[in-house]
Amino acid sequence: MSETAELRMMLAVALEEARAGLAEGGVPIGAALFGADGRVLGRGHNRRVQDGDPSMHAETAAFRAAGRLRGYRRTTMVTTLSPCWYCSGLVRQFGIGRVVVGEAETFHGGHDWLAEHGVEVVVLDDPDCTALMRRFIAERPEVWFEDIGE
Amino acid sequence: MSETAELRMMLAVALEEARAGLAEGGVPIGAALFGADGRVLGRGHNRRVQDGDPSMHAETAAFRAAGRLRGYRRTTMVTTLSPCWYCSGLVRQFGIGRVVVGEAETFHGGHDWLAEHGVEVVVLDDPDCTALMRRFIAERPEVWFEDIGE
C-alpha cells in the first residue's frame, strides 16, 4: 500500500469517529492512535457535549482509549482537525512521532509548533473533514467556541 | 488575606490532592482550579495508576472536575508540580489566566512558555511539594518516567 493510501485509511477511522460524535449531538472531531504496525491502539471523539467533559478532545480520547503505554515514538496520531494547544501539548509531552491532520482550514492549532519540535506532521487537506467542521461551526458556533476556549 | 497567604491556601488544596493520590498508590501530583472569587471550581489528582488512564494528569483532572465553563480568563490553576506540555497546552488553549506552581525543581515543564504567552505564573518553591515528588521519583522511577513519556 502506498503511503498516501495508508494515511487515507487512517484518516477514515478518525472521520468515522467524528461522524459518530456528530450523530450523538457532539462536536464532530475524531482521532485515532496507530501503532507502528498500522493497528489502532485507541480511537475516540470529542465528548464535551455527550459527557459534559471539556477535557475529552478527540486526540485525548484516542490517547486515553489506548491505555497505559511505554513509548509513543513510533505511533501516529490521526485527527480530523488541526490539534489545539492542549492536544498538541499531549503529542509533544508523550513524544508521539507523527501527526496526521485531516484539515487545518477551519481551525489552525499547534501543528506547526509540533513540526518545529521534531514531530512529523502531515496535513491532508481533506474536503470531507473541512465540510463537516464548517457546517458544525455555522450551526452551533457557541459550542464550538466553548470547545476551544474562545 | 495577603496574596501570599491566599496562594498558600490554594496550594494546600492541590497538595491535599497529591497526597490522596499517593495514598491510592498513584503519582502524587495534585491540582485545583479556582474561580476569581477564590472558590474551588474543580480539583483532582493524577490517575494513571488508579484508573489506568494516562490522560488524567492532575491539572486535566481538576479542569475536568470543573465541568463545562465559558471563559477561564479569571481562573487560577494551582498545581503541586510544574505543568508538563500537555497540561501547559490545556492552560494556553482555554485561556486560564493564572498558574500557581508548587515546585519546578523535580520537573521543569512548560510554565516559562505560558508566561511568555501572557499567563501569570507564580512558582512557590514549596519544600513539601518537592519532597513528595523527590521521594516518589526515587521509589517508583518507572511510573514517573512513564507519566511524562520518557
Side-chain angles (χ1 to χ4, degrees):
Chain A
M1 185 163 43
S2 73
E3 203 200 348
T4 307
E6 188 206 0
L7 296 178
R8 291 281 162 192
M9 277 191 60
M10 287 171 149
L11 183 63
V13 176
L15 192 52
E16 196 174 280
E17 285 291 334
R19 286 180 173 140
L22 185 70
E24 292 163 6
V27 181
I29 305 173
L33 185 69
F34 289 85
D37 59 0
R39 273 191 295 186
V40 175
L41 300 172
R43 53 189 286 176
H45 51 265
N46 187 298
R47 305 200 60 83
R48 170 177 295 271
V49 175
Q50 297 91 318
D51 299 344
D53 184 351
S55 75
M56 279 301 120
H57 274 194
E59 298 89 332
T60 311
F63 175 79
R64 184 187 207 193
R68 288 173 64 177
L69 296 173
R70 279 309 310 244
Y72 292 85
R73 188 60 60 196
R74 300 186 68 224
T75 66
T76 298
M77 179 66 83
V78 184
T79 171
T80 54
L81 183 66
S82 173
C84 78
W85 287 116
Y86 171 47
C87 299
S88 295
L90 176 85
V91 168
R92 180 168 176 189
Q93 186 62 44
F94 291 97
I96 292 170
R98 183 167 66 159
V99 173
V100 177
V101 176
E103 62 108 351
E105 207 178 311
T106 65
F107 176 75
H108 196 110
H111 65 274
D112 299 327
W113 178 73
L114 290 175
E116 281 163 27
H117 288 93
V119 179
E120 185 187 339
V121 175
V122 184
V123 180
L124 293 174
D125 291 320
D126 182 80
D128 291 340
C129 290
T130 311
L132 191 63
M133 274 313 289
R134 207 184 290 288
R135 184 166 170 184
F136 183 77
I137 295 169
E139 288 177 359
R140 305 196 57 194
E142 74 295 349
V143 179
W144 167 241
F145 290 114
E146 180 191 315
D147 197 56
I148 51 170
E150 282 176 11
Chain B
M1 183 161 46
S2 73
E3 203 200 348
T4 307
E6 187 206 359
L7 296 178
R8 291 280 162 194
M9 278 192 61
M10 286 171 149
L11 183 63
V13 176
L15 193 52
E16 196 174 281
E17 285 291 333
R19 287 180 172 140
L22 185 71
E24 292 163 5
V27 181
I29 306 172
L33 185 69
F34 289 85
D37 59 0
R39 273 191 295 185
V40 176
L41 300 172
R43 53 190 285 176
H45 51 265
N46 188 299
R47 305 199 62 83
R48 170 177 296 271
V49 175
Q50 298 91 317
D51 299 345
D53 184 350
S55 76
M56 278 301 121
H57 274 194
E59 299 88 333
T60 311
F63 176 79
R64 184 188 208 192
R68 289 174 65 177
L69 296 173
R70 279 309 310 244
Y72 292 85
R73 188 60 58 195
R74 299 187 67 223
T75 66
T76 297
M77 178 66 83
V78 183
T79 172
T80 54
L81 183 65
S82 173
C84 78
W85 287 116
Y86 172 46
C87 300
S88 294
L90 177 85
V91 168
R92 181 167 176 191
Q93 186 62 46
F94 291 97
I96 292 170
R98 183 166 66 158
V99 173
V100 177
V101 176
E103 62 109 351
E105 207 177 312
T106 65
F107 176 75
H108 195 110
H111 65 273
D112 299 326
W113 178 72
L114 289 176
E116 281 163 27
H117 288 93
V119 178
E120 184 187 342
V121 175
V122 183
V123 180
L124 293 175
D125 290 320
D126 182 80
D128 291 341
C129 292
T130 310
L132 190 63
M133 273 314 289
R134 208 184 287 289
R135 184 168 171 183
F136 183 78
I137 295 169
E139 288 177 358
R140 305 194 60 193
E142 74 295 351
V143 179
W144 167 240
F145 290 114
E146 180 191 314
D147 197 56
I148 51 171
E150 283 177 10

